[in-house]
Amino acid sequence: MPKPSKGPRLASSPAHERLMLANMATSLFANGRITTTLPKAKRLRPLAERLITFAKRGDLPARRRVMRVIRDKSVVHILFTQIAEQMQQREGGYTRITKIAPRRGDNSPQAVIELVTEPLSAKKAVVKEAESAAKVAAKDDNAEVAAATDAAVAEGAAKDAVDQAVEANESDQDVAQADKAAEDLEQTADKADQTEAQAEEDADVAEDAEKAAE
């Protein structure tokens, strides 16, 4: 039989031990406190606090995870609606173990394991609220910085787009002016050719007139 990793084995087999701890956790959540031997209380404590941590999440996967251990639906309801709400301000330490007198007969060390339902002290509550407020403020600041960054990026992109449009417009104007200048040069060249042709024609007519006169 495999040896347990922590402490002595509390039952005849690992399966028996898991069932026994599940029953003890059910009794603890239903009654708020139970009396058992000190080794069993120490083995129950991490299991009970883990289940309370799942209950504080409150979602469906956490409820299914708890119901693998706690089979009583009424106890699961108490755990998620009452105990989780009482432990909402605590980060841990949901249970307390108190040693009591040894058991009669075999002199086994006994202890009482109970849920810590007392509210946090005023100082701790104020510190907790201040930490929560600081976290919220930090999130708001991060959101504002991100929004300002996005706005600056958008403004820069818009400015770049305007510059590109202006440059494109200027380039289009330059091209249009160059085309117009080329057209003007072509028209001027055509007029010069026409003038030269007319001059040649006039010269030919004058030459013909002189020959006829002779």
Side-chain angles (χ1 to χ4, degrees):
M1 182 179 296
K3 184 179 180 181
S5 59
K6 294 183 180 179
R9 189 176 300 283
L10 303 179
S12 60
S13 66
H16 186 194
E17 181 177 338
R18 287 194 297 270
L19 290 174
M20 183 180 63
L21 291 175
N23 291 333
M24 293 171 64
T26 302
S27 300
L28 176 63
F29 295 144
N31 302 313
R33 56 184 296 170
I34 59 173
T35 301
T36 182
T37 60
L38 184 59
K40 289 181 180 180
K42 290 182 177 179
R43 294 291 294 274
L44 175 62
R45 184 174 192 173
L47 174 63
E49 294 195 354
R50 180 175 174 81
L51 295 177
I52 293 173
T53 302
F54 279 119
K56 288 175 65 176
R57 296 181 186 176
D59 53 1
L60 183 58
R63 185 178 291 269
R64 288 175 176 173
R65 179 64 180 82
V66 170
M67 291 189 69
R68 294 179 188 175
V69 181
I70 308 298
R71 301 304 178 91
D72 192 341
K73 293 183 179 180
S74 61
V75 176
V76 173
H77 179 73
I78 294 173
L79 176 60
F80 275 78
T81 56
Q82 299 179 13
I83 299 175
E85 184 177 356
Q86 293 173 353
M87 304 295 181
Q88 199 64 39
Q89 296 296 329
R90 292 185 178 273
E91 298 295 337
Y94 308 125
T95 59
R96 179 192 299 120
I97 295 177
T98 305
K99 295 181 181 179
I100 59 176
R103 186 168 57 191
R104 278 188 171 184
D106 58 358
N107 201 31
S108 297
Q110 285 191 299
V112 174
I113 180 170
E114 58 185 346
L115 299 175
V116 182
T117 57
E118 295 86 357
L120 292 174
S121 63
K123 183 177 180 180
K124 291 183 178 180
V126 171
V127 171
K128 183 69 175 177
E129 291 179 359
E131 290 177 353
S132 301
K135 290 180 180 179
V136 172
K139 290 182 179 179
D140 293 340
D141 293 338
N142 293 333
E144 291 178 358
V145 170
T149 304
D150 294 339
V153 171
E155 184 178 357
K159 186 176 180 180
D160 293 339
V162 171
D163 294 339
Q164 292 177 359
V166 170
E167 291 177 358
N169 189 18
E170 290 178 353
S171 62
D172 292 340
Q173 291 178 357
D174 294 338
V175 171
Q177 291 177 358
D179 292 340
K180 186 176 181 181
E183 291 178 358
D184 293 339
L185 289 175
E186 290 181 357
Q187 291 177 0
T188 303
D190 292 339
K191 288 181 180 180
D193 293 338
Q194 291 177 1
T195 303
E196 185 179 357
Q198 185 67 33
E200 290 179 355
E201 186 177 355
D202 294 339
D204 293 338
V205 171
E207 186 178 356
D208 293 337
E210 289 177 359
K211 287 180 180 181
E214 289 177 355

